[in-house]
Amino acid sequence: MITINSVWFSGKNICVKMSDGKIIETPIQLYPNLRKGTAEQINNYEIKGGGKWIHWEELDEDLSAEGFLQMN
């Protein structure tokens, strides 16, 4: 199973590095809850489930490794 190793933000994009080394970059604008967040809120996330998803408590948003892989 491919999981999320790390997360960072580049301009208006969210970037994830997967356990297979692949880097996936997608616009934050695709996610309504993230789009409404401040920079501080967007940077306040946790990688959960052993890398299966990213969780933003304050913004009530979860993005899965599987979802990122389907986008690429």
Side-chain angles (χ1 to χ4, degrees):
M1 169 185 276
I2 299 172
T3 57
I4 298 167
N5 278 357
S6 60
V7 179
W8 69 96
F9 302 91
S10 175
K12 295 184 180 197
N13 295 321
I14 181 171
C15 306
V16 294
K17 183 172 184 181
M18 309 305 284
S19 59
D20 66 353
K22 185 180 290 183
I23 294 174
I24 301 171
E25 189 171 344
T26 185
I28 291 171
Q29 293 299 314
L30 294 178
Y31 310 103
N33 289 348
L34 294 183
R35 185 173 54 223
K36 293 184 276 184
T38 65
E40 183 177 334
Q41 289 172 316
I42 290 170
N43 281 293
N44 187 21
Y45 64 86
E46 293 180 80
I47 299 174
K48 301 277 218 169
K52 291 181 183 175
W53 73 91
I54 310 164
H55 176 69
W56 286 265
E57 179 73 29
E58 211 174 335
L59 297 173
D60 191 30
E61 184 71 71
D62 293 298
L63 301 180
S64 70
E66 183 178 317
F68 281 108
L69 291 168
Q70 289 176 357
M71 294 181 92
N72 194 355

